[in-house]
Amino acid sequence: MSGSPLRVGYVLNRFPRLTQTFVLNEILELERQGIEVEVFSLLRPPPELRHPALDDLAARVTYLPGLDQAAGLLFGEGLEDRPRPVLSELGGAPVDAAGDPLFAGASAATVARLEIAAASLSLLARARGIRHLHAHFGTDQTTAALLAARLGGCGFSWTAHARDLFLSFGGGAADREMRRTKLREARFVVAVSEYNRRLLADLAPEHAAKIHCIRNGIDLSRIRPADAVPPREILAVGRLVEKKGFADLVDACARLAADGADFRCHIVGEGPLEAALRARIRACGLEDRVRLIGARPQPEVFLAMRRAGMLVLPCAVAGNGDRDGLPTVLIEAMAHGLPVVSCPVTGVPEIVEDGVTGLLAPSRDPGALARAMGRLIADPAGAAAMGRAGRLRAERLFDLGHNVARLAAHFEGALCGKERIVQVA
C-alpha cells in the first residue's frame, strides 16, 4: 500500500502473557518492518513475570473496559435467563444467540460480554483509523473480532494454534460449525503448522485457499549457539500442565537413574500440576536429579539453554483433547544448537527431524523417552551434530523476519481487497 503505513489491530484475550512470547515477538517484528500495531485485550493479564522485551513495544495497549459491569448496566437482573441483542441496540445486526454458531455452548452472560467487546472494538477501530483486526487463537478474541467486522468498517483474520482447534466448547457438530463460521467470515486465516492447515482445510474445503501455514518465528539475531554442553544436562521448559508430558519426563528420568545414567534435569515453568510433579519426583527418589525451578523470563530461559546439553518436551494429548500446536520452545532450543527430544504430536514433526535435529519418541511412553534421552547421553558427538543441524533447520524454517513478512503481505492483501489472490512465496 502506498501513502500511510499499514495499521493493524491485534485482538487478544489477555496481553501480555509470559507463556505467549510468540505473540509479543510477532508484534515487535511487525513494528520493525514498519507496520503500526494497536493491541486490544479483552481482559487484563494475571500477575506474573514480565518479559523485558515489552519495553521495546511501541504499540498502544487498550484493555476493553468493564465488560462484566457494562453487561450488568445494560441488562440488570436475570441476564443469564434473558439474552438481549446488544449489537442491534448499538446499531449493528441483531444476534440470535440461540441460533448463531459462534455462541455454541456459551451462556447469555458470555454472549453479552462478547457483543459489548465487539461494539467497543468497532468504535475504537473506527476512531483510530484501523481497518483490519487480527486475533490469536480462535476463541473469544476471534469471536469479538468477527462481530466487530460484522458491525462494518473493518475486516478480520485470525491465527489458529492448538486448544482453539482441539478443545470442545459446544459439542462436536456445534464446534465444527462454529469454526467453519470463523473460517468463512475471515479475510484470511493463519495456521501455525501444516498439520493445522490441513485440519482446517478438511473442515471447510471451500475456504482452503484462504488458510495459510505461517509458522511461529524467532529472532535468530538474538540467539547464537553456545559451545556444546554434555547432553547429561537436560532442560525442559513449559507450563506444568498435562499436555506438556512432564509426568512422563519424571518417569523417564527414574528409568535413566535405574540404568546408572549420569544426568541432571531442570524443569522451568509453573502451573496446576506443580504439587503432583514434586510428589512424583520425591516418590521416585529423584530430588537430587530433577528440579522444578519455576517460571522464568525469556532471557533466563535462554541462559538455561546455553547451559544445557539437550531439551526435552514430551508432548501429549490431554484428557480434554488439548495439545501443543507448534511448541516455540523446541524452535528456540534448536536455534541455540541443542538437540531436542519430543513426541510426534500435531506440528512437532515439522520442527524436529527425527534422527537429524533430535529424536522423537512415542507419546505417553516413558520407556521410549528414556531410551531416546539415554541415546543422546551416550553419544555426545552425535548429540552435538544434531544440535548443529537443528540450528540450520531453525534458520531455514523459523526465521522471524521472513515469516512475519509473509504475514504482513497477507495484511496488505486484506486491506487492498486482494487477499484471495495475493501470492506469498
Side-chain angles (χ1 to χ4, degrees):
M1 295 178 68
S2 60
S4 59
L6 218 62
R7 302 191 70 218
V8 178
Y10 263 56
V11 186
L12 306 169
N13 191 44
R14 297 179 189 268
F15 183 86
R17 292 305 313 272
L18 187 66
T19 56
Q20 293 179 5
T21 56
F22 49 87
V23 175
L24 176 59
N25 290 339
E26 181 175 292
I27 295 172
L28 288 170
E29 181 59 29
L30 284 169
E31 291 180 339
R32 282 191 287 269
Q33 296 188 19
I35 295 169
E36 294 183 4
V37 178
E38 291 212 25
V39 175
F40 301 99
S41 181
L42 272 61
L43 300 166
R44 291 187 177 273
E48 61 182 6
L49 293 171
R50 174 185 168 92
H51 279 294
L54 283 165
D55 293 337
D56 299 326
L57 188 69
R60 172 164 51 178
V61 180
T62 299
Y63 296 100
L64 298 183
L67 302 186
D68 288 327
Q69 294 87 338
L73 288 171
L74 281 171
F75 301 107
E77 300 293 330
L79 176 62
E80 289 293 339
D81 299 323
R82 300 198 306 276
R84 299 264 304 278
V86 179
L87 293 187
S88 62
E89 293 186 7
L90 294 170
V95 169
D96 176 11
D100 195 318
L102 287 178
F103 299 115
S107 68
T110 296
V111 173
R113 285 194 295 270
L114 290 174
E115 290 185 271
I116 294 164
S120 301
L121 278 172
S122 178
L123 291 170
L124 288 166
R126 291 181 196 180
R128 297 176 184 177
I130 296 170
R131 295 191 295 113
H132 190 83
L133 300 172
H134 185 75
H136 268 274
F137 295 92
T139 45
D140 283 354
Q141 51 271 53
T142 292
T143 300
L146 183 156
L147 292 172
R150 285 182 181 176
L151 283 169
C154 68
F156 87 101
S157 53
W158 57 286
T159 295
H161 289 270
R163 67 186 308 276
D164 48 336
L165 299 183
F166 302 117
L167 290 185
S168 178
F169 298 94
D175 288 337
R176 288 191 293 274
E177 189 54 35
M178 176 264 289
R179 290 170 183 133
R180 277 196 290 265
T181 299
K182 292 175 178 178
L183 288 168
R184 180 177 64 250
E185 298 194 33
R187 289 185 176 173
F188 68 92
V189 177
V190 173
V192 298
S193 66
E194 181 61 23
Y195 180 99
N196 283 0
R197 190 202 63 78
R198 290 195 301 267
L199 187 75
L200 289 169
D202 288 346
L203 180 65
E206 68 277 22
H207 301 300
K210 69 163 76 169
I211 306 167
H212 310 281
C213 174
I214 304 178
R215 298 181 176 94
N216 295 337
I218 58 173
D219 186 355
L220 292 163
S221 69
R222 296 177 53 223
I223 300 173
R224 289 288 178 264
D227 294 335
V229 174
R232 64 175 177 270
E233 301 294 336
I234 300 167
L235 178 66
V237 181
R239 291 192 66 231
L240 306 184
V241 293
E242 185 183 0
K243 69 179 180 179
K244 300 298 182 181
F246 291 144
D248 296 326
L249 175 58
V250 173
D251 291 348
C253 286
R255 295 182 184 227
L256 285 175
D259 291 340
D262 177 20
F263 72 92
R264 286 178 295 276
C265 178
H266 293 114
I267 302 175
V268 177
E270 62 185 11
L273 296 184
E274 180 176 347
L277 287 170
R278 289 193 185 280
R280 201 178 198 113
I281 290 167
R282 286 195 301 271
C284 293
L286 293 172
E287 296 98 321
D288 61 339
R289 301 273 202 129
V290 180
R291 292 185 57 213
L292 301 179
I293 60 176
R296 293 290 186 270
Q298 191 176 67
E300 292 186 35
V301 173
F302 282 4
L303 181 59
M305 287 182 177
R306 295 182 66 84
R307 295 171 174 170
M310 75 170 85
L311 183 127
V312 182
L313 186 68
C315 298
V317 178
N320 64 358
D322 196 11
R323 66 202 76 176
D324 270 315
L326 195 82
T328 305
V329 70
L330 291 174
I331 304 167
E332 293 169 341
M334 293 195 323
H336 279 87
L338 285 176
V340 295
V341 177
S342 192
C343 303
V345 172
T346 60
V348 171
E350 298 174 39
I351 304 174
V352 184
E353 190 174 1
D354 189 29
V356 178
T357 66
L359 298 172
L360 295 175
S363 186
R364 304 281 193 183
D365 188 339
L369 185 65
R371 288 190 292 275
M373 295 160 63
R375 175 177 163 185
L376 294 183
I377 292 171
D379 183 11
M386 288 184 182
R388 291 191 295 272
R391 171 69 190 203
L392 294 175
R393 188 171 178 83
E395 292 173 353
R396 188 169 70 253
L397 296 179
F398 303 107
D399 177 73
L400 180 65
H402 175 76
N403 291 4
V404 168
R406 296 182 61 219
L407 176 63
H410 287 294
F411 286 148
E412 184 168 6
L415 284 164
C416 290
K418 300 177 181 178
E419 173 53 32
R420 292 189 179 184
I421 61 172
V422 66
Q423 298 293 320
V424 185

